[in-house]
Amino acid sequence: MDMTGEERIAARRDAVWQYLNDPEILRRCIPGCQSLEMKSPTELTAVVKVKIGPVSATFNGNVALSKLNPPQSYTISGEGKGGIAGFAKGGADVTLAEEGDETVLRYNVKAEVGGKLAQLGSRLIDSTSKKLAQQFFADFNLAVSGAAEAAS
């Protein structure tokens, strides 16, 4: 599955970069995230509960940040195991561009699933993935825009 998109955020690029690297902000914005811990500046562990169609699973996974180019871009990749539901793995290239007082966050995601999840069909997986991504970026945008507004 491949997915691209962009989100306009009413905050300066430095602030958006800081929030993209803040595990507490990410934990609150990732749909179904039960925990997110920094193991090092570039490694995190996560527990995320997701429902895709009739399958509900809790994924335990590792996340790594690479190709760091602060405050412009990075690659985030991860893999999660959901027991009998299967696995999910993938990554995203994220870039931040300043446009006036806003930041344009662009993402290019590549992901794959296996096990019981893969049997659900690509349409259901793609539509659920897009919905979850849109929810994350909407929540992230609110968190960053609200914090930027409170700071001014």
Side-chain angles (χ1 to χ4, degrees):
M1 177 201 64
D2 293 348
M3 181 174 30
T4 59
E6 74 176 39
E7 186 79 22
R8 289 191 165 274
I9 301 171
R12 305 289 299 180
R13 181 170 63 180
D14 289 341
V16 175
W17 177 263
Q18 184 179 347
Y19 285 108
L20 270 179
N21 290 280
D22 182 329
E24 180 55 29
I25 294 290
L26 293 174
R27 185 191 62 73
R28 291 194 334 242
C29 296
I30 296 169
C33 188
Q34 297 178 327
S35 71
L36 185 68
E37 269 183 59
M38 293 284 289
K39 294 296 181 187
S40 78
T42 59
E43 297 174 314
L44 301 98
T45 59
V47 177
V48 179
K49 187 171 186 172
V50 182
K51 183 169 175 36
I52 301 176
V55 178
S56 185
T58 299
F59 288 89
N60 293 292
N62 296 307
V63 179
L65 305 178
S66 60
K67 299 180 188 173
L68 284 106
N69 183 16
Q72 297 173 2
S73 63
Y74 71 20
T75 296
I76 184 168
S77 54
E79 184 170 353
K81 293 178 176 54
I84 61 166
F87 71 88
K89 66 181 177 178
D93 293 317
V94 178
T95 59
L96 303 176
E98 278 190 331
E99 288 188 12
D101 288 339
E102 289 186 327
T103 299
V104 179
L105 183 154
R106 292 184 178 89
Y107 57 92
N108 183 9
V109 177
K110 293 188 183 315
E112 63 181 277
V113 296
K116 215 178 208 180
L117 287 174
Q119 298 170 3
L120 294 174
S122 61
R123 265 196 231 139
L124 178 60
I125 291 169
D126 287 354
S127 67
T128 302
S129 298
K130 286 179 181 160
K131 183 177 142 202
L132 293 172
Q134 289 167 345
Q135 184 180 341
F136 167 79
F137 285 110
D139 291 348
F140 181 77
N141 196 337
L142 279 173
V144 175
S145 300
E149 197 174 289
S152 58

